[in-house]
Amino acid sequence: MSDSEEHHFESKADAGASKTYPQQAGTIRKNGFIVIKGRPCKVVEVSTSKTGKHGHAKCHFVAIDIFNGKKLEDIVPSSHNCDVPHVNRTEYQLIDISEDGFVSLLTSDGNTKDDLRLPTDETLLAQIKDGFDSGKDLVVTVQSAMGEEQICALKDVGPK
């Protein structure tokens, strides 16, 4: 191989930041996060069974998907590792709501973020629309995990 040849690698990966990290099943507690069936979930219930004839104590997780609210369950040996999603919450100021259901948000560095839809949760959706229509200054909290983002909370900062 000569030095004049160039190599081009096409990579679909991001900057190496993993979407999840491993954590021992026995150390995951209620209100923690866990990946079940490839979905990021918040743990609502954990029960641990005793070690049986064949050795492993098992953890039974009941968790709710943080994006669609579906209830998921999983049973894992307590000594095994589970995937735990990196969950981030960021606050943005709401600038505009478009007709097609997308929101325009102001980031902390002064740029706009226009790729988020309005939340599917009816009460939160109504609060955002009512507050925006009445001209209030609204700050939304966006929760992101495993490449997905969704508006999960709303704060009223007062009138404009």
Side-chain angles (χ1 to χ4, degrees), residues 26-42:
T27 63
I28 296 173
R29 299 280 168 247
K30 187 177 174 182
N31 294 331
F33 293 101
I34 188 172
V35 176
I36 299 178
K37 296 185 180 104
R39 301 288 305 158
C41 301
K42 185 171 185 156

Side-chain angles (χ1 to χ4, degrees), residues 36 47 49 58-61 73-77 82:
I36 299 178
S47 55
S49 66
K58 291 199 169 47
C59 295
H60 176 232
F61 295 104
E73 293 187 50
D74 201 6
I75 297 174
V76 186
C82 290

Side-chain angles (χ1 to χ4, degrees), residues 7-55:
H7 297 284
H8 294 287
F9 295 102
E10 269 191 47
S11 173
K12 299 276 187 274
D14 49 18
S18 176
K19 292 177 170 68
T20 61
Y21 60 94
Q23 186 175 341
Q24 194 172 337
T27 63
I28 296 173
R29 299 280 168 247
K30 187 177 174 182
N31 294 331
F33 293 101
I34 188 172
V35 176
I36 299 178
K37 296 185 180 104
R39 301 288 305 158
C41 301
K42 185 171 185 156
V43 178
V44 289
E45 194 181 314
V46 181
S47 55
T48 310
S49 66
K50 297 266 190 292
T51 51
K53 198 154 108 183
H54 300 292

Side-chain angles (χ1 to χ4, degrees), residues 11 16 21 32-33 48 56 64 68 72 75 90-91 93 95 100 111-112 120 124 130-131 150 156:
S11 173
Y21 60 94
F33 293 101
T48 310
H56 291 285
I64 291 175
N68 64 25
L72 296 163
I75 297 174
T90 320
E91 290 191 340
Q93 185 168 349
I95 304 171
D100 57 358
N111 294 327
T112 57
T120 48
L124 187 58
D130 293 346
Q150 189 176 8
D156 185 355

Side-chain angles (χ1 to χ4, degrees), residues 81-107:
N81 280 345
C82 290
D83 282 334
V84 177
H86 289 287
V87 179
N88 294 318
R89 285 169 166 248
T90 320
E91 290 191 340
Y92 299 104
Q93 185 168 349
L94 181 66
I95 304 171
D96 193 22
I97 300 174
S98 65
E99 272 94 55
D100 57 358
F102 282 89
V103 291
S104 188
L105 304 172
L106 184 67
T107 63

